[in-house]
Amino acid sequence: IKRLLEHPIADGRHRVIWLILAPYFTTVRGMDEASAADAVLAYIGDARYKQFIRYNVRRAMRSGLFPLSEQSIRQKHPDIMAVLPKGVLAK
């Protein structure tokens, strides 16, 4: 995820927010709701996603969701692989 944060994406932002970023900032990093939403918004860089980000941050906090592992991304969500910049996931 740290490599992902170094490479902004243009496509697939909804799924990356929902499955990776919101759970990462809330569950793994332990940020509060406002800080996590700000961190995701800073990465995405598009204020149109603000409400969607807040919803998914709350959802991740409430459910205790963890972000997808690299293995899960490869096996269950290959469509996300197509939008991630090359080199983000280890080979």
Side-chain angles (χ1 to χ4, degrees), residues 1-14:
I1 294 175
K2 291 178 184 179
R3 289 189 305 265
L4 173 63
L5 294 174
E6 295 171 0
H7 300 89
I9 58 172
D11 292 327
R13 290 183 257 183
H14 280 93

Side-chain angles (χ1 to χ4, degrees), residues 1-84:
I1 294 175
K2 291 178 184 179
R3 289 189 305 265
L4 173 63
L5 294 174
E6 295 171 0
H7 300 89
I9 58 172
D11 292 327
R13 290 183 257 183
H14 280 93
R15 300 210 47 216
V16 170
I17 291 167
W18 164 44
L19 296 169
I20 301 171
L21 297 177
Y24 172 72
F25 285 115
T26 58
T27 308
V28 176
R29 298 277 308 269
M31 292 180 162
D32 62 79
E33 182 182 324
S35 298
D38 289 345
V40 175
L41 185 59
Y43 173 77
I44 295 299
D46 190 339
R48 293 178 293 177
Y49 289 88
K50 193 172 194 172
Q51 190 69 18
F52 182 76
I53 290 168
R54 288 194 353 239
Y55 169 79
N56 280 286
V57 165
R58 286 184 193 131
R59 183 179 148 272
M61 290 181 87
R62 185 176 55 247
S63 304
L65 295 176
F66 281 90
L68 290 178
S69 66
E70 290 185 20
Q71 183 179 3
S72 291
I73 293 171
R74 291 180 194 282
Q75 292 177 352
K76 299 176 185 174
H77 301 279
D79 52 321
I80 293 177
M81 288 290 300
V83 300
L84 295 178

